Amino acid sequence: MAYFPNVDKIKYEGTKTENPFAFRHYDPDEVIEGKTMKEHLRFAVAWWHTLTQDGSDPFGAPTNIRTWITDDPMQTSKNRVEAGFEFFEKLGVEYFCFHDVDIAPEGDSLEEFLANLDEITDLIKEKMDQTGIKLLWNTANMFTNPRFVHGAASSSNADVFAYSAAQVKKGLEISKKLGGKNYVFWGGREGYESLLNTDLPLEQDNIARFFHMAVDYAKEIKHDVQFLIEPKPLEPSKHQYDYDAATTMAFLQKYDLTDYFKLNLEANHATLAGHTFEHEITVARSYNALGSLDANQGDVLLGWDTDEFPTNIYDTTLAMYQVLENGGIAPGGINFDAKVRRSSFEMEDLFLAHIAGMDTFARGLKAAAKLKEDGFFTKELDRRYASYKTGIGKAIIDGKENLSSLADYALEHDQIKNQSNHLELLKSRLNDYLV
Ligand code: XUL
Ligand code: CO
């Protein structure tokens, strides 16, 4: 049975097309900088937003029409596998991502949950083998169930730590079974509500212990997977420990985890942390820790994680510029951690939303490649930092100076001349690339 009988395989038709079910900018086979767009972008669909999200919000009931929902949770999960693969294939997306609870019902016990996961992942594996569609990453949902009220690995209750371990153990086994490329940790409840009753050092030590156990288990089962942490400053916790890229890198360094972990950066999380997406990507790159991207966007008028589909080409251009400079994002990808608006409730809206996001990233990629080809940013950086190429600047970089030698130099060069940045000119020229 087809869940999207009115939608055919989405094709690239160019900007002249009137067909809403077509790509206008994303041509999977177009070669840019020696790689096809498909290879550059490595798009993934998020199971939770596309297959399980119902359109409810804190003030309103579900709105989404989803024909896979039945009264039997296990049947619904099976239908979602069917619908999901039809959707991925028609959209032409090569990867998908999920939390354990997205794909299978939790049932009444951990044992039942694990058995349900086995049954559903068998089905998923069959579909993967038939279609060639791959798992970009999976993760454990350790934030929705009431047992995580005080956290998961950071919980004050050691039984919850143990339960979380069981979930991640299974998650890694599933990752191996399905050939997952990455394994994600997003610590929605790994933070605190009040410092008055929180042992912050113990909680962080425990999270690190937990991560080391995950690394050890992946080695034990011989699963070579890239671990990723997804930073977010708040929501649902008031303060989350993995606040942003820089905070998370300090944590990874402190606990000796940088060999195993990189970052999965999400645009809307950057906004919540008071950063731009490209700031987070740039910080990660400076640590050689750019792992993967969760593509979405927030709303400047709303202060929460709205997870909208990305449609802002300025942001995707700057993000893709960093990805190109990084030499690509593999084994990571660009996962649409984005949900259709509550008012876009038809099944077909799922296609329209992903097409919008994919076209927006394709435009970003094309603009970024042109910026790179023209040396737009490198010329500007060369100009701005020219003082470090020769003379005293070069001597500083070469490690030939110290405070005394520099003080002697400064005494003779204290009439300092700075140059204007002409930043408005730069921004205006940048706009010429966003066509
Ligand atoms: C929450 C969020 C998660 C992670 C995976 O804001 O982004 O969906 O991507 O747990
Ligand atoms: Co995310």
Side-chain angles (χ1 to χ4, degrees):
M1 170 190 157
Y3 286 91
F4 303 96
N6 302 325
V7 184
D8 294 327
K9 175 127 181 92
I10 309 295
K11 295 198 197 75
Y12 169 72
E13 293 183 10
T15 51
K16 300 272 181 318
T17 186
E18 295 286 328
N19 177 9
F21 293 95
F23 297 118
R24 294 152 54 82
H25 301 274
Y26 176 62
D27 179 357
D29 301 321
E30 183 181 334
V31 174
I32 292 175
E33 288 215 331
K35 277 199 284 191
T36 63
M37 277 201 179
K38 194 172 179 164
E39 287 166 334
H40 276 289
L41 293 164
R42 298 171 61 83
F43 287 129
V45 171
W47 205 282
W48 55 102
H49 285 311
T50 295
L51 296 159
T52 63
Q53 195 253 134
D54 62 12
S56 57
D57 72 11
F59 302 94
T63 54
N64 290 348
I65 301 164
R66 299 291 182 256
T67 55
W68 48 76
I69 296 177
T70 69
D71 291 338
D72 170 6
M74 203 53 187
Q75 188 56 51
T76 300
S77 292
K78 290 177 187 170
N79 293 350
R80 284 190 176 119
V81 175
E82 210 44 59
F85 278 83
E86 181 188 340
F87 183 75
F88 310 152
E89 275 208 291
K90 286 185 169 171
L91 191 62
V93 161
E94 265 190 302
Y95 295 95
F96 61 100
C97 303
F98 61 83
H99 303 81
D100 44 9
V101 305
D102 304 333
I103 59 165
E106 290 182 80
D108 294 326
S109 66
L110 179 57
E111 201 181 344
E112 193 181 334
F113 183 33
L114 300 182
N116 288 346
L117 283 168
D118 285 340
E119 197 176 335
I120 298 293
T121 50
D122 282 348
L123 280 185
I124 291 180
K125 182 156 177 15
E126 242 173 66
K127 288 280 178 191
M128 291 173 73
D129 291 344
Q130 279 163 21
T131 60
I133 291 167
K134 300 180 274 278
L135 174 62
L136 186 68
W137 54 260
N138 61 314
T139 183
N141 178 325
M142 301 187 291
F143 44 88
T144 302
N145 192 293
R147 80 175 62 85
F148 301 112
V149 62
H150 301 307
S154 69
S155 176
S156 47
N157 182 348
D159 282 356
V160 179
F161 188 103
Y163 191 102
S164 307
Q167 259 183 278
V168 170
K169 177 174 178 285
K170 189 66 174 176
L172 288 169
E173 288 160 6
I174 289 174
S175 172
K176 182 172 162 123
K177 173 173 171 180
L178 302 181
K181 311 279 173 229
N182 308 272
Y183 187 86
V184 165
F185 288 97
W186 168 64
R189 305 273 173 199
E190 311 292 35
Y192 61 79
E193 197 174 331
S194 171
L195 271 182
L196 297 178
N197 61 4
T198 300
D199 186 342
L200 182 145
L202 174 69
E203 292 200 357
Q204 294 214 320
D205 286 355
N206 278 349
I207 296 172
R209 284 186 183 101
F210 192 85
F211 287 161
H212 275 288
M213 288 180 195
V215 168
D216 290 347
Y217 191 65
K219 284 184 187 161
E220 188 183 324
I221 62 171
K222 299 198 169 35
H223 182 39
D224 186 16
V225 73
Q226 175 66 56
F227 285 99
L228 301 173
I229 296 188
E230 184 174 326
K232 185 177 180 181
L234 67 161
E235 196 194 78
S237 296
K238 187 172 101 176
H239 176 90
Q240 278 169 219
Y241 293 132
D242 303 326
Y243 194 94
D244 60 3
T247 313
T248 308
M249 289 315 301
F251 172 89
L252 291 174
Q253 287 183 332
K254 175 174 178 190
Y255 292 103
D256 240 348
L257 286 160
T258 47
D259 286 351
Y260 309 103
F261 281 80
K262 288 190 171 183
L263 303 181
N264 180 39
L265 299 164
E266 176 166 327
N268 207 157
H269 296 179
T271 313
L272 292 178
H275 303 309
T276 58
F277 197 21
E278 72 269 19
H279 167 92
E280 288 293 83
I281 303 174
T282 307
V283 169
R285 283 198 54 223
S286 76
Y287 287 93
N288 190 25
L290 172 57
S292 200
L293 297 177
D294 266 12
N296 60 18
Q297 68 187 28
D299 185 309
V300 283
L301 302 180
L302 297 172
W304 68 88
D305 196 13
T306 56
D307 285 347
E308 295 171 26
F309 274 85
T311 49
N312 182 327
I313 52 177
Y314 200 90
D315 292 349
T316 56
T317 298
L318 296 179
M320 286 314 298
Y321 182 77
Q322 290 299 328
V323 170
L324 288 182
E325 286 284 285
N326 198 57
I329 189 107
I334 296 179
N335 167 48
F336 287 108
D337 192 351
K339 57 175 176 255
V340 286
R341 297 304 85 195
R342 191 163 182 266
S343 50
S344 303
F345 45 76
E346 291 174 358
M347 300 269 281
E348 278 81 15
D349 281 308
L350 294 171
F351 279 97
L352 301 178
H354 282 84
I355 291 169
M358 290 163 80
D359 271 342
T360 304
F361 264 88
R363 292 177 79 162
L365 169 61
K366 286 191 227 181
K370 187 87 179 68
L371 285 162
K372 193 159 181 262
E373 189 188 313
D374 292 355
F376 182 88
F377 290 118
T378 43
K379 275 186 212 154
E380 175 62 9
L381 294 183
D382 284 348
R383 182 194 69 74
R384 197 154 177 254
Y385 294 92
S387 73
Y388 286 93
K389 295 276 159 40
T390 56
I392 191 70
K394 185 164 186 313
I396 292 171
I397 301 251
D398 291 345
K400 292 189 179 142
E401 301 294 333
N402 57 37
L403 284 191
S404 302
S405 67
L406 289 171
D408 291 345
Y409 176 91
L411 281 170
E412 283 177 23
H413 298 84
D414 63 344
Q415 301 303 306
I416 289 175
K417 283 201 197 88
N418 271 312
Q419 286 180 2
S420 168
N421 267 349
H422 311 307
L423 185 58
E424 296 75 9
L425 176 64
L426 185 76
K427 288 184 174 181
S428 158
R429 294 270 161 86
L430 173 59
N431 281 348
D432 293 345
Y433 286 82
L434 309 177
V435 288

